[in-house]
Amino acid sequence: MMVDFSELLKEARRHKYAVGSFNVYNYETIRGVIDAGQELGYPLIVAFAEGYLNNMDMDEVYALVHAMAHKSSIPVVLHLDHCKSFENIVKAIRAGFTSVMFDGSSLPFEENIKKTAEVVAIAHAVDVSVEAELGALAGGEFSNEEAGDEVYSIGTVHGMYKGTPRIDVEVLKKIAARIDIPLVLHGGSGTPEETIRECIRNGIAKINVNTEISYYTVEQVKVLLQSGKSYHLSQLALKEVGYVREVVTKYAKIFRSA
Ligand SMILES: [Zn+2]
């Protein structure tokens, strides 16, 4: 079933677990994410970013997620990840997304806050939740996302880490002590398990995983193709579903057991 983002996250923060937000780009990734959640009985967020609009449009993503969520017994949220365009936010809301992220991180801070408030006003009018990026994240390896010039995050990066990640949990503690809204950690890929758990214990209720879904699946497909055996595209597609499911399962187990 499809559910509202904010209730799910408030519940997560209250009970100190995190809901995984997993990026999808096509049928195979959507299927892999929802199958993993179904298998574990774990609610999750299917995330689609405006950067992948060349792969699918909002209506298509909604139709697939809605059809699969309808058949599954777990709560599923359809979230618009990183979106810079006001127009695309409106399109996602109209298509049926249950939450949206406005990414004004490339704007000057004051302007980002102003634009974010505008998005909140229109989204809340129709009961859609909003996530915002006030500050910016650095870019790591294999990331498909833009890196910020000024970095205000607690130390996670978009993509895989180039060295050992240094996550400032003290900053997180201070933020969490001041506000009770659920906090989000971007750049889940490659973050050490213990660090993830510590972040969850200190207020993080949503964790994004994107890069590793793509990276792991592509690497596994490479291995398959190099084996010399030839595959029909339909078989390869099912293999992809399986690889995506493996990554999602790995993270889901960590997120729910902080
Ligand atoms: Zn992100």
Side-chain angles (χ1 to χ4, degrees):
M1 75 208 96
M2 285 180 77
V3 298
D4 183 61
F5 180 86
S6 66
E7 278 315 307
L8 192 65
L9 295 193
K10 279 184 204 153
E11 178 82 2
R13 178 151 181 197
R14 222 176 294 133
H15 297 284
K16 293 202 188 326
Y17 65 90
V19 182
S21 180
F22 301 98
N23 277 81
V24 298
Y25 337 99
N26 56 8
Y27 174 90
E28 285 71 24
T29 42
I30 297 173
R31 170 90 188 274
V33 170
I34 295 181
D35 276 6
Q38 174 70 28
E39 223 169 75
L40 296 167
Y42 168 78
L44 39 76
I45 297 164
V46 175
F48 181 75
E50 114 187 291
Y52 304 110
L53 279 171
N54 284 335
N55 295 80
M56 299 178 96
D57 72 27
M58 310 274 194
D59 296 317
E60 291 160 350
V61 176
Y62 176 82
L64 279 176
V65 172
H66 183 257
M68 288 186 218
H70 190 69
K71 280 189 246 171
S72 88
S73 55
I74 51 153
V76 175
V77 167
L78 176 56
H79 175 67
L80 177 67
D81 188 26
H82 288 280
C83 185
K84 291 179 187 296
S85 133
F86 196 78
E87 198 184 322
N88 284 333
I89 293 223
V90 174
K91 280 185 185 165
I93 293 173
R94 196 182 60 180
F97 281 55
T98 46
S99 54
V100 293
M101 176 194 177
F102 174 64
D103 178 354
S105 60
S106 59
L107 302 170
F109 193 63
E110 295 303 324
E111 203 181 328
N112 184 1
I113 289 179
K114 198 171 145 247
K115 285 260 161 57
T116 300
E118 284 169 21
V119 170
V120 168
I122 61 138
H124 284 189
V126 288
D127 291 327
V128 167
S129 316
V130 177
E131 175 186 339
E133 182 164 339
L134 305 175
L137 251 73
E141 297 204 273
F142 306 108
S143 170
N144 213 4
E145 283 156 31
E146 214 175 284
D149 299 332
E150 292 178 81
V151 180
Y152 296 104
S153 84
I154 61 168
T156 54
V157 301
H158 275 132
M160 304 300 255
Y161 295 91
K162 286 168 189 148
T164 314
R166 282 196 313 270
I167 314 294
D168 196 339
V169 181
E170 290 311 311
V171 171
L172 172 61
K173 281 183 187 166
K174 284 182 195 151
I175 297 170
R178 293 187 63 172
I179 48 172
D180 64 357
I181 57 168
L183 300 171
V184 180
L185 187 75
H186 279 240
S189 297
T191 306
E193 222 175 292
E194 194 34 49
T195 307
I196 290 177
R197 291 208 164 93
E198 218 186 326
C199 289
I200 297 171
R201 286 194 293 267
N202 288 289
I204 292 291
K206 169 179 179 277
I207 302 178
N208 285 26
V209 179
N210 182 5
T211 308
E212 197 166 323
I213 292 177
S214 159
Y215 182 76
Y216 179 77
T217 304
V218 170
E219 288 304 302
Q220 293 305 109
V221 169
K222 256 193 231 168
V223 173
L224 270 190
L225 297 179
Q226 281 162 358
S227 74
K229 198 178 158 200
S230 71
Y231 287 88
H232 188 269
L233 183 57
S234 62
Q235 294 171 314
L236 211 51
L238 286 177
K239 291 277 186 198
E240 281 178 35
V241 171
Y243 300 138
V244 171
R245 196 170 55 212
E246 277 180 50
V247 176
V248 175
T249 301
K250 178 182 101 173
Y251 281 102
K253 284 182 174 166
I254 302 171
F255 297 166
R256 69 174 186 180
S257 68

